[in-house]
Amino acid sequence: MKKLINDPRSVVDESVEGFGLVHADLVTVSADPTFITRKDAPVEGKVGLVSGGGSGHEPLHAGFVGMGMLDAAVPGAVFTSPTPDQILPATLAVNSGAGVVHIVKNYTGDVLNFETAGELAQAEGVEVRTVLVNDDVAVEDSLYTAGRRGVGGTVLVEKIAGAAAERGDGLDAVAAIGDRVNGNVRTMGVALSACTVPHAGTPSFDLEDNEIEIGIGIHGEPGRHRIQMENANGITDRLLEPVLGDLGIASGDKVLLFVNGMGGTPLSELYIVYRRAAQVIADRGATVERSLVGNYITALEMQGCSISVLRLDDELTQLWDAPVHTAALRWGV
Amino acid sequence: MKKLINDPRSVVDESVEGFGLVHADLVTVSADPTFITRKDAPVEGKVGLVSGGGSGHEPLHAGFVGMGMLDAAVPGAVFTSPTPDQILPATLAVNSGAGVVHIVKNYTGDVLNFETAGELAQAEGVEVRTVLVNDDVAVEDSLYTAGRRGVGGTVLVEKIAGAAAERGDGLDAVAAIGDRVNGNVRTMGVALSACTVPHAGTPSFDLEDNEIEIGIGIHGEPGRHRIQMENANGITDRLLEPVLGDLGIASGDKVLLFVNGMGGTPLSELYIVYRRAAQVIADRGATVERSLVGNYITALEMQGCSISVLRLDDELTQLWDAPVHTAALRWGV
Amino acid sequence: MMLDVKWAVKWLTMCAQAMAEHRVELIELDRAIGDSDHGENMDRGFQAVLDKLAEAPPETPGAALKLTAMTLMSKVGGAAGPLYGTAFLRASTFLGDAAEVDPAALAGALLAARDGIVARGKAESGDKTMVDAWTPAAEAAQAVAAGGSGNVLAVLVAAAEAAEAGAVATDPLVARKGRASYLGERSAGHRDPGAASSALILRAAAGAAA
Amino acid sequence: MMLDVKWAVKWLTMCAQAMAEHRVELIELDRAIGDSDHGENMDRGFQAVLDKLAEAPPETPGAALKLTAMTLMSKVGGAAGPLYGTAFLRASTFLGDAAEVDPAALAGALLAARDGIVARGKAESGDKTMVDAWTPAAEAAQAVAAGGSGNVLAVLVAAAEAAEAGAVATDPLVARKGRASYLGERSAGHRDPGAASSALILRAAAGAAA
Ligand SMILES: Nc1ncnc2c1ncn2[C@@H]1O[C@H](COP(=O)(O)OP(=O)(O)O)[C@@H](O)[C@H]1O
Ligand SMILES: Nc1ncnc2c1ncn2[C@@H]1O[C@H](COP(=O)(O)OP(=O)(O)O)[C@@H](O)[C@H]1O
Ligand SMILES: [Mg+2]
Ligand SMILES: [Mg+2]
Ligand SMILES: [Mg+2]
Ligand SMILES: [Mg+2]
């Protein structure tokens, strides 16, 4: 394992410290317990948005803290959800009295830890709502699993719910917008290579030179099935089909198309995937109204990508377009 | 080799096509010959800025086309400089009459091809100036080499010269600003792994599990020397020392610190490197006034990073802060 | 023989040793069907428990377990943190502030721990989780305690053996809860890391009483 | 014997074949001390030359070389594109619109090509570049032509052999121009890819005359 780190056990602390130095105009970093808040938190009268999860998915979540998106991010150890004693103070720090929405990716650990923190916050008089993100269509049989995972759609939920909070929506309204985004977004991913968790030191799975994993999540876990390597168009079709099918995308639909890199794939390849995905969507008679291409929710240095499609309506489009000023997403300001 | 591509020979065309689809609000993509221009080019009365080079360094250069930065980008084949028959029409397309500055990274191929294109453009009545970027301190003995390479500093030259052009500076003034940035920036890089050029199919060099290459460029070429793997702080010190030394950074200096990922290294690790670099600079009594951390000039999926330091003065800082609206860098708008 | 706070502290110390020793093994198990963090998390958590025990030595077994619960909850994260946190908290509550623990109380505490895990994680037996170690362990403890031999060591040895057998028995199962469930059929053929760490914890409990 | 446009077209065709055949080998040479693109670029360039030759068949050797120059310049890119472009352009200019090429003109054209590469790239002999193939080749051609045997084939064979020897002789050199120069001492022990492709081009010239 070769990584630009000093010690597997200090990876998150040192990285967050560096992040805080670079983005001192945007965020405040709290150490021990570790969490990141928007510089001007709590924002008077605004609903607070808190998300978090294991580290290793950067820029998610800290990179999305700032005006128009998250008020706080709570990073756990690599691929390990944070603990209530981090989530609780983050929640308290961003509560202006208007309540706080927790955006939680659907993993057992994240759900349990946020649940506990939410109860503790409620006990301290803070109203908390939870938006559970579970957009991964790779998890087919959610009856016999822990349910669909939260993956690429998380970025879109955070942006759009963040814009709703910024325009002054109330607690239930912000949560409802978050749920609406989650209900209209689906994602599927592929890995061309595994990633190596620093403390583990060996790749999270072994792939032959001609194999890829279809339906991976964002934790270096193996996917639903392993297939022979295919070209970019073939892989794109495989990922997009279940996404469009599950959403029931039909002629006349307007969508946001999000091609996300898993961390180790060059940007140029993401554009090749985007190109094909846009063609397929156009062939269905739907329109790509908005796009996002880049490394936004990653799995360390994993090679691969995920494709997310969000069905848009006018309000969601407007909220997507609203100004945002974070380390990783910025426009209109 | 596993890549999200369809055919090594169509990589650049398809990727640029996808880029054009995603960023249709910002750029126009011309195919055959391939080049990318700012949507509103030529901008009346403004000096045009053209850069280009081999592909595989994305987002450089196409990702920097837009308001406040480049007017055109000319991508060659992967790691191969573009040809005069691409550079010439790009130059003509962005000339509003105020002349055009070519920003050229110092490689034999880039220099020769831009030189030819520049002569051809002059012959067609377009005034052309060239800013040669050669910021790589890894190339020690420039007397016995093709000279220092243009690496990370290129991004800073393009941003700052772009801002000068945008504020209305004349042809010679824009070129002079570009030269000033180049004269005040130094860079050095490290590779933890090689990259694989699509048409080659095998990694550009072979590294043992415990080896790294110090002083690499951005073309997957081996570096100045190979050493045993070290921790992030040790590597940062090794890269930063010659950069600061060559620039003569001393107490009281103000700098921009740019930690650039080579494509396959997680963002979180870049922040760990940044953290150390900021400490070292502070220990020298200098101040980090501005920062940039991310994958901006890459070598496909290479793992590693480069550290650039630019000595700032008030004007350069102002130009850095000026609004920019491109696919990869955006602020103030 | 009764168990006192010394046993509790020795148990937790042996847990920390076991997690450090089996850290890589638990990471490897989690690597196969999860996300490679279980051994690291458990090791970090129990090292923190050691620190806390040294800082503020508890006075009763219940207090030791409560301190453990709070520490695991705040240091482990992931699924295991809240689950083990709840388990130790429920066991602690069951024991109250008694200075000594007899076989019946011991078996009751283990059952309370198991029930806490089930309440929190909603897993059933056979879902390939730590429940598959805790349920047979709690049942074996009950059986021995009900036998009335009065031997806490025998209760703990029975629990440890049952947990170990339960962990081994997760090998062929298809996971239906937790991260491994995403693998579907591909999760069969691997031991559940949480069941494995549970067996280590219960073996340490017996070891501390020996 | 004199060389005509048929020879020129055959030469360029054999160049294209040689580049396709040795594509991987040239990539490998460039991989060792450069950026792995030389074989790909030369192959792409000479395939484009073939297309152009088919589109608009040239009438003289000079015209064939000019078309080659323009095509390489616009299709190869990198360092090799402008350098070979200049070489073919200078050779073409030297030959003018003569229909036939005698040994003296041939040697003169090769020298003009060499001089073009030097003028463009500013490399000296021993810098481990394609100049190390072209300089001995041009000199050998001159020597044979000056001998007055009147044999174009002999001129070309001498040039090809000298270029091949020159390419081999780059192996121990430390590069001082082009991308390999960044490697410093580490560039020694590898053949210069541009010298190797130059040898292929000159061997094709001889082959076309045989
Ligand atoms: N719903 C659940 N109920 C009981 N145990 C569970 C549940 N979900 C997960 N587990 C246990 O947690 C273990 C994984 O712990 P860990 O790796 O620390 O957390 P994470 O899955 O968040 O990375 C599994 O091996 C399993 O034993
Ligand atoms: N200044 C120069 N003069 C002569 N030949 C050169 C010079 N620089 C490079 N070359 C030749 O070009 C070859 C490399 O060509 P190529 O790989 O196509 O270009 P690039 O280096 O731009 O990738 C070298 O092997 C060398 O023979
Ligand atoms: Mg985990
Ligand atoms: Mg090249
Ligand atoms: Mg785990
Ligand atoms: Mg090359």
Side-chain angles (χ1 to χ4, degrees):
Chain A
M1 174 187 67
K2 280 186 285 187
K3 289 176 179 290
L4 290 169
I5 64 175
N6 292 307
D7 177 343
R9 298 196 170 171
S10 64
V11 161
V12 174
D13 287 350
E14 291 182 9
S15 179
V16 168
E17 187 185 332
F19 179 85
L21 292 172
V22 175
H23 302 292
D25 55 326
L26 288 176
V27 302
T28 306
V29 167
S30 149
D32 202 13
T34 305
F35 60 92
I36 295 106
T37 49
R38 191 172 148 171
K39 194 89 201 167
D40 54 353
V43 180
E44 194 52 41
K46 193 182 89 67
V47 168
L49 247 72
V50 177
S51 192
S55 290
H57 310 303
E58 290 70 24
L60 186 92
H61 298 271
F64 300 132
V65 172
M67 197 280 290
M69 216 161 161
L70 298 179
D71 293 270
V74 191
V78 175
F79 292 172
T80 300
S81 86
T83 58
D85 70 327
Q86 299 172 261
I87 305 167
L88 176 62
T91 303
L92 299 179
V94 304
N95 177 44
S96 72
V100 175
V101 173
H102 284 174
I103 298 177
V104 182
K105 303 191 293 305
N106 187 35
Y107 301 95
T108 306
D110 294 72
V111 169
L112 295 181
N113 285 288
F114 270 91
E115 207 171 82
T116 306
E119 283 168 27
L120 294 169
Q122 298 267 14
E124 301 209 19
V126 180
E127 280 292 296
V128 175
R129 298 285 176 281
T130 299
V131 172
L132 198 68
V133 185
N134 57 355
D135 56 318
D136 187 356
V137 293
V139 180
E140 286 155 8
D141 207 347
S142 51
L143 265 187
Y144 297 102
T145 64
R148 284 179 166 175
R149 297 172 289 209
V151 285
T154 313
V155 177
L156 311 182
V157 171
E158 293 181 0
K159 167 64 183 86
I160 293 175
E166 202 73 46
R167 77 174 170 190
D169 282 14
L171 184 61
D172 288 320
V174 172
I177 287 274
D179 287 338
R180 195 158 109 219
V181 175
N182 182 57
N184 284 286
V185 65
R186 298 290 186 280
T187 300
M188 183 133 158
V190 62
L192 275 56
S193 71
C195 55
T196 300
V197 177
H199 63 245
T202 39
S204 57
F205 51 82
D206 305 305
L207 269 182
E208 294 297 318
D209 270 0
N210 58 347
E211 290 175 340
I212 59 178
E213 281 278 340
I214 297 283
I216 47 110
I218 54 172
H219 297 92
E221 64 270 58
R224 285 298 285 190
H225 51 278
R226 186 165 289 196
I227 62 166
Q228 294 286 307
M229 181 65 194
E230 289 182 356
N231 70 15
N233 288 354
I235 293 171
T236 302
D237 292 354
R238 266 182 203 276
L239 299 183
L240 196 53
E241 194 48 52
V243 166
L244 296 176
D246 203 275
L247 267 179
I249 292 296
S251 184
D253 278 340
K254 296 171 179 179
V255 304
L256 184 157
L257 173 56
F258 172 27
V259 176
N260 174 64
M262 301 307 298
T265 281
L267 200 50
S268 50
E269 298 179 20
L270 301 182
Y271 283 114
I272 292 174
V273 170
Y274 179 93
R275 171 182 170 275
R276 173 63 165 205
Q279 282 168 357
V280 172
I281 291 171
D283 288 349
R284 285 221 178 190
T287 318
V288 176
E289 293 265 315
R290 295 293 183 271
S291 310
L292 187 66
V293 176
N295 292 285
Y296 292 104
I297 172 169
T298 60
L300 296 169
E301 69 286 326
M302 181 181 272
Q303 289 184 305
C305 72
S306 66
I307 304 180
S308 302
V309 173
L310 167 66
R311 184 191 278 108
L312 289 170
D313 56 40
D314 289 347
E315 187 183 22
L316 295 187
T317 306
Q318 232 171 48
L319 290 168
W320 176 256
D321 289 345
V324 60
H325 187 176
T326 69
L329 271 193
R330 179 172 180 179
W331 55 73
V333 58
Chain B
M1 173 186 67
K2 281 186 284 188
K3 289 177 179 288
L4 290 169
I5 64 176
N6 292 307
D7 176 342
R9 297 196 170 170
S10 65
V11 161
V12 175
D13 286 350
E14 291 183 9
S15 179
V16 168
E17 187 186 333
F19 179 85
L21 292 172
V22 175
H23 302 291
D25 55 326
L26 288 176
V27 301
T28 306
V29 167
S30 149
D32 201 13
T34 304
F35 59 92
I36 294 106
T37 49
R38 189 172 150 171
K39 194 88 199 166
D40 54 353
V43 180
E44 195 52 41
K46 194 183 88 67
V47 169
L49 248 73
V50 177
S51 191
S55 291
H57 310 301
E58 290 69 24
L60 186 91
H61 297 272
F64 300 131
V65 171
M67 197 281 289
M69 216 160 161
L70 299 180
D71 294 87
V74 191
V78 175
F79 292 171
T80 300
S81 85
T83 59
D85 70 328
Q86 298 171 262
I87 305 167
L88 176 63
T91 302
L92 300 178
V94 305
N95 177 45
S96 72
V100 175
V101 173
H102 284 174
I103 298 177
V104 182
K105 303 191 294 304
N106 187 35
Y107 300 95
T108 307
D110 294 71
V111 169
L112 295 180
N113 285 288
F114 269 92
E115 207 171 82
T116 305
E119 282 168 26
L120 295 170
Q122 298 267 15
E124 300 209 21
V126 180
E127 280 292 297
V128 175
R129 298 287 177 280
T130 299
V131 173
L132 198 68
V133 186
N134 58 354
D135 57 317
D136 188 356
V137 291
V139 180
E140 285 154 11
D141 208 346
S142 51
L143 266 187
Y144 297 102
T145 63
R148 285 178 166 178
R149 298 173 289 209
V151 285
T154 313
V155 177
L156 311 182
V157 171
E158 293 181 1
K159 167 65 183 86
I160 292 175
E166 201 72 45
R167 76 174 171 190
D169 284 12
L171 184 60
D172 288 320
V174 171
I177 287 275
D179 287 337
R180 196 158 108 218
V181 175
N182 182 56
N184 283 286
V185 65
R186 299 290 186 281
T187 300
M188 183 133 158
V190 62
L192 276 55
S193 71
C195 56
T196 300
V197 177
H199 63 245
T202 39
S204 57
F205 50 82
D206 304 305
L207 268 182
E208 295 297 318
D209 270 0
N210 58 347
E211 290 175 341
I212 59 179
E213 281 278 342
I214 296 282
I216 47 111
I218 54 173
H219 296 93
E221 64 271 58
R224 285 299 284 192
H225 51 277
R226 186 165 290 196
I227 61 166
Q228 293 287 308
M229 181 65 194
E230 290 183 356
N231 70 16
N233 288 353
I235 292 171
T236 303
D237 292 354
R238 266 182 202 277
L239 299 183
L240 195 54
E241 195 46 52
V243 165
L244 296 176
D246 203 275
L247 267 180
I249 291 297
S251 185
D253 278 339
K254 295 171 179 179
V255 304
L256 184 156
L257 173 57
F258 172 27
V259 176
N260 173 64
M262 301 307 298
T265 281
L267 200 51
S268 50
E269 297 179 22
L270 302 181
Y271 283 114
I272 292 175
V273 170
Y274 179 92
R275 172 181 169 274
R276 173 64 165 203
Q279 281 167 357
V280 171
I281 291 172
D283 288 349
R284 285 220 178 190
T287 318
V288 177
E289 294 264 316
R290 295 292 183 273
S291 310
L292 187 66
V293 176
N295 292 283
Y296 292 103
I297 172 169
T298 61
L300 296 170
E301 69 286 326
M302 181 181 272
Q303 289 184 306
C305 73
S306 66
I307 304 180
S308 301
V309 173
L310 166 65
R311 184 191 278 108
L312 288 171
D313 57 40
D314 289 347
E315 187 183 21
L316 295 187
T317 306
Q318 232 170 48
L319 290 168
W320 176 257
D321 290 344
V324 60
H325 187 176
T326 69
L329 271 194
R330 179 173 179 177
W331 54 74
V333 59
Chain C
M1 192 190 138
M2 304 269 272
L3 296 171
D4 57 9
V5 69
K6 278 199 182 151
W7 162 77
V9 170
K10 190 165 177 209
W11 173 22
L12 299 167
T13 308
M14 289 178 76
C15 279
Q17 283 162 359
M19 295 307 155
E21 237 169 68
H22 296 269
R23 182 178 153 276
V24 172
E25 181 189 323
L26 293 174
I27 287 174
E28 278 301 305
L29 291 179
D30 200 25
R31 185 172 94 95
I33 57 171
D35 58 355
S36 314
D37 61 355
H38 189 60
E40 179 70 14
N41 294 350
M42 295 303 291
D43 183 30
R44 183 178 60 244
F46 273 102
Q47 291 309 316
V49 169
L50 284 194
D51 293 345
K52 291 280 174 190
L53 286 173
E55 263 172 41
E59 312 237 309
T60 60
L65 300 193
K66 177 152 191 208
L67 176 154
T68 303
M70 301 317 286
T71 307
L72 295 181
M73 203 91 89
S74 79
K75 292 295 172 196
V76 174
L83 291 168
Y84 279 125
T86 305
F88 278 93
L89 196 61
R90 295 280 182 102
S92 152
T93 306
F94 185 89
L95 295 180
D97 49 17
E100 302 211 305
V101 180
D102 67 14
L106 184 58
L110 292 178
L111 190 62
R114 198 287 310 257
D115 289 348
I117 294 169
V118 171
R120 204 101 182 86
K122 315 266 176 336
E124 293 173 14
S125 288
D127 282 357
K128 195 178 183 110
T129 71
M130 57 175 70
V131 169
D132 293 330
W134 282 92
T135 297
E139 282 167 0
Q142 289 290 23
V144 174
S149 76
N151 189 338
V152 284
L153 180 58
V155 171
L156 289 172
V157 167
E161 278 172 4
E164 283 159 358
V168 170
T170 65
D171 288 8
L173 298 177
V174 172
R176 283 193 299 251
K177 277 279 181 296
R179 202 175 288 283
S181 68
Y182 303 128
L183 284 179
E185 301 291 333
R186 290 169 82 187
S187 63
H190 300 279
R191 187 157 309 168
D192 177 62
S197 62
S198 296
L200 291 174
I201 288 172
L202 290 167
R203 174 57 67 193
Chain D
M1 191 192 136
M2 302 269 271
L3 296 171
D4 57 8
V5 68
K6 277 197 184 155
W7 162 78
V9 171
K10 191 166 176 206
W11 173 23
L12 299 167
T13 308
M14 290 179 75
C15 280
Q17 283 163 358
M19 295 307 155
E21 239 168 68
H22 296 269
R23 183 179 153 276
V24 172
E25 182 189 319
L26 294 174
I27 286 175
E28 278 301 305
L29 290 179
D30 201 23
R31 185 173 94 94
I33 56 171
D35 59 354
S36 314
D37 61 354
H38 189 60
E40 178 72 13
N41 295 349
M42 295 303 290
D43 182 30
R44 183 178 60 243
F46 273 101
Q47 292 309 316
V49 169
L50 283 194
D51 293 347
K52 293 279 174 191
L53 287 173
E55 264 172 41
E59 311 236 311
T60 61
L65 300 192
K66 176 151 192 208
L67 177 153
T68 303
M70 301 318 284
T71 307
L72 295 182
M73 203 91 91
S74 80
K75 292 294 173 197
V76 174
L83 291 169
Y84 279 126
T86 304
F88 278 93
L89 196 61
R90 295 279 182 102
S92 152
T93 306
F94 185 90
L95 295 180
D97 49 16
E100 302 211 306
V101 180
D102 67 13
L106 184 58
L110 292 178
L111 190 62
R114 198 287 310 255
D115 290 348
I117 293 169
V118 170
R120 204 100 182 87
K122 315 263 177 334
E124 294 174 13
S125 288
D127 282 356
K128 196 177 182 112
T129 71
M130 57 176 70
V131 170
D132 294 329
W134 281 92
T135 296
E139 282 167 0
Q142 289 289 21
V144 173
S149 76
N151 189 340
V152 283
L153 180 57
V155 170
L156 289 172
V157 168
E161 279 171 3
E164 282 158 359
V168 170
T170 65
D171 289 8
L173 298 176
V174 172
R176 281 192 301 249
K177 276 281 182 296
R179 203 176 288 284
S181 68
Y182 303 129
L183 284 179
E185 301 290 333
R186 290 170 81 187
S187 63
H190 300 277
R191 187 157 309 166
D192 177 63
S197 62
S198 297
L200 292 174
I201 288 171
L202 290 166
R203 174 58 67 193

